[in-house]
């Protein structure tokens, strides 16, 4: 009896924990649903779990939400933010925001694998910043933070050998240099070298996919409503009519009050809390004179996204963002370099059939266009809305793409 008691004391808690996990996953698979309230919260939550997951995004897209891919600019939620405008004026689309500081092309490529069926033949908005195109490109730390195991597993389960596949596998491995175990890692090594994923690896990946999807279902409804409340509050500050002239007047009035206490014409709150403290502002003067966005692995990562859009027949509209012109001058960031990077991005898009491009790169000096040093606000959001809203609300001609592997090359990544 004593031996049985000892064995139970050792293994009992483990068995109970395993049983509880099994029950939790069983309940999640059987009873978890994504209701409309969860979709509304998730659409503007910018939740990392939602971004990395699948079930909430997939259900929302089925119900008509439109993906807005981007990064930190999506969190600048003034009253003229796309989500506030769409909600206030009952447009026939509602943005589903997908991005955070540090999310770039490779992060987006992987997380979108979990909503493949919902993206096929649909429109999307893709906000891209030339500032993604640094010498390093995607930060491994940021990639790790936003890495979607569900997306990675789905990509591996459907991967076939090609130049795109080999390059993608190598890039994912480079982002996870400290990981050297597991079926996913072994499968990535195979694909990177042009080999197939083995039957054993596929079996293990399918088991992992089942577990990951169950976990996603279990936690999918836990989404904060903080940003939804902010959007609701902001839309109440907008004019009753969806009229550009009235919206511009309102934007100018709000922005004038919000930017009257700093030399850059940006949000006083941002200036006082992020720049004016200590000696930070003085240290930043001339600090970006050496920046170069023309040579970067991000150009090839971006190409992976374009190839995926083409394969799924997605119709995207791209928005290229500016930098506050006064800030650019203060930090020494080269406008000539910035415009060349903009032209390089547009060439990569247009030469492959991606012709819906909203180029705002030259507008950083316009009044009340930028909320802070690098992010759209007030009139910036309205300028974007003038192009994006008609694109989403009217039928577009079927795009024809000509994907070119040359945009994966080192030559293109380094071309100036």
């Amino acid at each position: 009896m004593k031996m049985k008691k000892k064995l139970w004391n050792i293994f009992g808690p483990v068995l109970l924990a395993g049983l509880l996990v099994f029950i939790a996953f069983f309940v999640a698979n059987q009873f978890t649903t994504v209701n409309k309230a969860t979709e509304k919260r998730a659409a503007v939550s910018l939740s990392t779990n939602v971004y990395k997951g699948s079930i909430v995004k997939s259900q929302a897209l089925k119900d008509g939400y439109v993906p807005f891919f981007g990064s930190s600019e999506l969190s600048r939620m003034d009253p003229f933010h796309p989500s506030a405008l769409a909600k206030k004026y009952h447009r026939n689309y509602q943005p589903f925001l997908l991005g955070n500081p540090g999310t770039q092309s490779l992060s987006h490529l992987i997380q979108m694998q979990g909503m493949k069926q919902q993206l096929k033949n649909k429109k999307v908005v893709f906000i891209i910043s030339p500032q993604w195109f640094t010498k390093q490109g995607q930060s491994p730390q940021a990639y790790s933070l936003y890495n979607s195991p569900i997306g990675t597993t789905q990509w591996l389960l459907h991967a076939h050998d090609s130049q795109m596949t080999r390059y993608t596998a190598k890039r994912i491995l480079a982002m996870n240099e400290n990981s050297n175990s597991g079926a996913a890692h072994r499968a990535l090594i195979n694909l990177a070298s042009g080999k197939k994923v083995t039957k054993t690896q596929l079996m293990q990946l399918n088991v992992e996919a089942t577990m990951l999807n169950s976990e996603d279902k279990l936690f999918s409804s836990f989404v904060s409503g903080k940003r939804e409340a902010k959007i609701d509050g902001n839309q109440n500050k907008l004019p009753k009519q969806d009229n550009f002239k009235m919206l511009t007047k309102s934007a100018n009035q709000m922005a004038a009050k919000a930017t009257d206490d700093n030399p850059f014409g940006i949000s006083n709150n941002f200036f006082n809390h992020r720049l004016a403290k200590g000696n930070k502002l003085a240290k930043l003067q001339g600090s970006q004179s050496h920046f170069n966005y023309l040579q970067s692995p991000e150009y090839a990562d971006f190409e992976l996204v374009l190839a995926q859009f083409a394969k799924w027949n997605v119709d995207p509209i791209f928005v290229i963002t500016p930098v506050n012109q006064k800030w650019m001058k203060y930090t020494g960031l080269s406008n000539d370099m910035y415009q060349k990077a903009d032209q390089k991005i547009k060439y990569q898009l247009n030469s492959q059939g991606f012709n819906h491009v909203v180029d705002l790169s030259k507008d950083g000096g316009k009044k009340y266009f930028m909320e802070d040093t690098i992010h759209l606000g007030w009139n910036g959001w309205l300028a974007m809305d003038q192009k994006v809203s008609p694109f989403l609300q009217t039928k577009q001609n079927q795009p024809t793409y000509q994907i070119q592997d040359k945009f994966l090359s080192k030559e293109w990544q380094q071309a100036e």
Side-chain angles (χ1 to χ4, degrees):
M1 289 296 291
K2 287 183 178 181
M3 180 59 68
K4 289 182 179 180
K5 189 175 182 180
K6 284 183 179 180
L7 289 172
W8 173 253
N9 289 337
I10 296 171
F11 297 108
V14 177
L15 292 171
L16 284 174
L19 181 61
L20 289 172
V21 169
F22 174 80
I23 292 171
F25 281 173
F26 176 80
V27 171
N29 277 315
Q30 297 299 317
F31 303 109
T32 302
T33 58
V34 180
N35 57 38
K36 303 297 182 184
T38 300
E39 288 180 5
K40 286 173 64 179
R41 291 196 307 273
V44 295
S45 69
L46 297 174
S47 163
T48 302
N49 285 338
V50 171
Y51 181 85
K52 293 161 66 171
S54 174
I55 183 173
V56 176
K57 295 183 299 189
S58 297
Q59 186 59 51
L61 267 58
K62 284 180 184 178
D63 291 338
Y65 283 82
V66 175
F68 274 54
F69 298 97
S71 50
S72 52
E73 69 283 330
L74 295 175
S75 66
R76 270 44 181 189
M77 292 180 173
D78 67 33
F80 306 93
H81 187 279
S83 296
L85 292 174
K87 191 168 187 178
K88 171 70 174 182
Y89 300 118
H90 306 289
R91 294 174 177 174
N92 64 0
Y93 69 90
Q94 189 66 35
F96 198 102
L97 309 179
L98 293 167
N100 263 307
T103 52
Q104 296 181 197
S105 299
L106 194 61
S107 301
H108 290 319
L109 172 74
I110 299 305
Q111 66 89 18
M112 70 173 66
Q113 303 301 315
M115 47 182 180
K116 173 182 176 181
Q117 296 304 320
Q118 291 72 42
L119 283 173
K120 282 185 174 181
N121 307 308
K122 297 293 178 61
K123 297 175 184 176
V124 305
V125 179
F126 198 100
I127 304 173
I128 186 164
S129 168
Q131 294 174 91
W132 291 2
F133 295 81
T134 61
K135 183 178 181 180
Q136 178 190 32
Q138 172 76 71
S139 158
Q141 292 77 20
Y143 181 86
S144 178
L145 177 61
Y146 300 113
N147 177 39
S148 169
I150 290 176
T152 303
T153 303
Q154 288 301 318
W155 183 80
L156 289 168
L157 286 170
H158 298 92
H160 299 283
D161 183 48
S162 69
Q163 187 174 348
M164 291 284 177
T165 296
R166 293 191 293 273
Y167 189 85
T168 304
K170 290 174 183 176
R171 288 295 287 154
I172 297 173
L173 286 169
M175 293 295 115
N176 296 282
E177 288 183 346
N178 295 326
S179 175
N180 56 7
S181 62
H185 182 79
R186 292 189 293 273
L188 284 166
I189 291 175
N190 279 11
L191 290 171
S193 59
K195 299 176 183 178
K196 291 182 179 181
V197 178
T198 68
K199 291 182 179 180
T200 301
Q201 289 165 357
L202 286 172
M203 181 181 68
Q204 292 172 324
L205 288 168
N206 274 304
V207 171
E208 288 184 16
T210 300
M211 295 293 289
L212 288 167
N213 285 322
S214 295
E215 183 180 339
D216 187 30
K217 289 178 182 179
L218 185 62
F219 297 106
S220 61
S221 60
F222 298 101
V223 182
S224 170
K226 183 179 179 180
R227 284 197 166 98
E228 183 189 15
K230 186 171 185 177
I231 290 293
D232 288 342
N234 279 340
Q235 64 164 328
N236 293 330
K237 301 175 184 177
L238 293 170
K240 290 184 179 180
Q241 296 180 0
D242 189 358
N243 177 279
F244 183 69
K245 187 175 181 179
M246 294 172 65
L247 283 163
T248 301
K249 181 179 179 181
S250 181
N252 288 336
Q253 289 173 345
M254 290 186 202
K257 293 179 180 178
T259 62
D260 61 356
D261 195 27
N262 69 84
F264 299 107
I266 61 177
S267 162
N268 295 328
N269 185 59
F270 180 90
F271 179 81
N272 292 327
H273 289 89
R274 300 286 292 276
L275 298 177
K277 288 185 176 181
N279 196 36
K280 186 173 184 180
L281 189 60
K283 290 179 179 179
L284 289 169
Q285 187 169 12
S287 63
Q288 297 181 2
S289 59
H290 64 289
F291 282 18
N292 184 1
Y293 302 146
L294 285 164
Q295 297 181 324
S296 175
E298 183 67 26
Y299 286 100
D301 290 350
F302 185 44
E303 183 62 22
L304 297 176
V305 171
L306 300 185
Q308 192 68 87
F309 282 159
K311 185 176 181 180
W312 293 346
N313 204 36
V314 177
D315 190 7
I317 185 168
F318 295 89
V319 180
I320 304 176
T321 61
V323 171
N324 180 291
Q325 195 173 77
K326 292 180 179 179
W327 183 251
M328 181 179 279
K329 186 176 181 180
Y330 183 80
T331 60
L333 183 68
S334 169
N335 184 57
D336 180 62
M337 176 277 297
Y338 201 84
Q339 293 305 318
K340 286 180 180 178
D342 169 70
Q343 292 300 316
K344 185 173 179 178
I345 293 167
K346 287 196 296 185
Y347 175 78
Q348 187 168 340
L349 288 168
N350 296 155
S351 64
Q352 297 181 96
F354 295 93
N355 296 317
H356 298 294
V357 182
V358 183
D359 185 3
L360 304 178
S361 66
K362 295 182 176 66
D363 297 333
K366 292 183 177 179
K367 202 166 187 179
Y368 308 138
F369 206 87
M370 309 295 292
E371 180 179 327
D372 54 44
T373 55
I374 60 172
H375 297 117
L376 296 174
W378 305 295
N379 287 330
W381 284 130
L382 289 179
M384 172 178 156
D385 185 66
Q386 282 288 97
K387 300 292 185 179
V388 169
S389 185
F391 170 81
L392 293 177
Q393 295 191 90
T394 57
K395 187 175 181 179
Q396 304 296 324
N397 293 327
Q398 189 71 29
T400 302
Y401 303 120
Q402 306 89 34
I403 295 300
Q404 302 170 45
D405 286 347
K406 72 175 184 179
F407 290 114
L408 293 178
S409 69
K410 284 286 186 182
E411 289 75 17
W412 177 247
Q413 292 174 44
Q414 298 300 310
E416 292 197 9

